[in-house]
Amino acid sequence: GIQVEQSPPDLILQEGANSTLRCNFSDSVNNLQWFHQNPWGQLINLFYIPSGTKQNGRLSATTVATERYSLLYISSSQTTDSGVYFCAVGNTGNQFYFGTGTSLTVIP
Amino acid sequence: KAGVTQTPRYLIKTRGQQVTLSCSPISGHRSVSWYQQTPGQGLQFLFEYFSETQRNKGNFPGRFSGRQFSNSRSEMNVSTLELGDSALYLCASSSRLTLSTDTQYFGPGTRLTVL
């Protein structure tokens, strides 16, 4: 299967700070999604981004498929951004591979 | 559109029992996948169903099984429960033929505790 590595594993930020989360993957993919898992366990879709750049409010993401990595940018972080961020990828098979996540804590 | 729903949300069982979890996908979605999330192993793929057929299965023992009905609702069953089966079980649905090329939408999960 595809190996997915996320960094950093843990991140603590002051409210208002910016951050960059990284996702590296071991094989070519045609599906990449970023999720935010809230404290109740719900995985919330942030981006479907197998390539290119997308922005949604304070969040943006870039995937460079040829170099097998994706970045998630969070600007002007808020306490509600706290939680675990997952990157997940898929290729030709019918399976989705998840990274181990980045745990983000935003302090007021 | 209503999102993915899972029932029950919480479940407590004892070792040796069996359990059935249910997932209703987004209306019109024909693909349903199941994942197990534990602190030690992270999110692991269990299996995926499309139009009542299992298309792929992860590396789990035969105690874990599933099925999909004609209305795309899916159930997963775990027999002879072990302590290590305590986990958050997540269901995801997607609309297209190929799981790996489509957006996955997740339900809120079922938190299973095995005592």
Side-chain angles (χ1 to χ4, degrees):
Chain A
I2 304 174
Q3 306 303 311
V4 184
E5 294 180 357
Q6 291 186 242
S7 60
D10 298 283
L11 192 54
I12 301 175
L13 298 175
Q14 202 74 37
E15 201 168 26
N18 302 328
S19 60
T20 300
L21 283 58
R22 187 178 179 103
C23 171
N24 293 332
F25 41 95
S26 63
D27 201 350
S28 59
V29 300
N30 49 20
N31 188 336
L32 190 147
Q33 286 186 248
W34 283 96
F35 296 91
H36 175 215
Q37 189 168 41
N38 66 22
W40 297 272
Q42 172 90 55
L43 279 169
I44 299 165
N45 295 64
L46 296 177
F47 294 102
Y48 170 80
I49 187 165
S51 63
T53 297
K54 289 185 178 180
Q55 180 157 7
N56 184 5
R58 297 182 295 103
L59 303 181
S60 64
T62 294
T63 297
V64 183
T66 53
E67 297 187 21
R68 300 182 183 171
Y69 74 88
S70 183
L71 302 173
L72 177 68
Y73 306 96
I74 305 174
S75 64
S76 304
S77 57
Q78 301 175 357
T79 55
T80 52
D81 294 332
S82 296
V84 184
Y85 290 80
F86 288 100
C87 165
V89 303
N91 54 16
T92 55
N94 287 316
Q95 186 167 341
F96 222 34
Y97 299 90
F98 278 82
T100 51
T102 291
S103 178
L104 173 65
T105 303
V106 181
I107 303 170
Chain B
K1 270 187 182 178
V4 180
T5 58
Q6 292 187 244
T7 56
R9 293 293 311 279
Y10 302 91
L11 207 47
I12 299 175
K13 292 285 188 179
T14 56
R15 278 180 297 174
Q17 287 187 308
Q18 75 165 17
V19 66
T20 300
L21 312 181
S22 179
C23 171
S24 292
I26 293 171
S27 177
H29 286 193
R30 294 162 66 188
S31 169
V32 174
S33 300
W34 290 89
Y35 293 83
Q36 181 196 64
Q37 186 177 25
T38 60
Q41 299 298 318
L43 275 151
Q44 293 185 287
F45 173 79
L46 280 157
F47 29 66
E48 188 244 351
Y49 286 87
F50 183 88
S51 292
E52 302 179 66
T53 300
Q54 186 183 89
R55 294 202 294 189
N56 202 3
K57 190 177 194 307
N59 190 25
F60 279 82
R63 299 186 298 106
F64 292 81
S65 63
R67 59 177 175 169
Q68 187 180 33
F69 301 95
S70 59
N71 62 357
S72 294
R73 189 177 71 85
S74 176
E75 289 181 346
M76 70 162 279
N77 184 275
V78 187
S79 63
T80 319
L81 284 166
E82 301 177 359
L83 295 178
D85 297 332
S86 294
L88 179 66
Y89 290 87
L90 292 161
C91 160
S93 79
S94 70
S95 62
R96 292 193 200 162
L97 274 175
T98 305
L99 178 75
S100 61
T101 58
D102 192 23
T103 304
Q104 302 294 299
Y105 296 93
F106 281 82
T110 294
R111 194 168 294 277
L112 171 65
T113 302
V114 182
L115 302 175

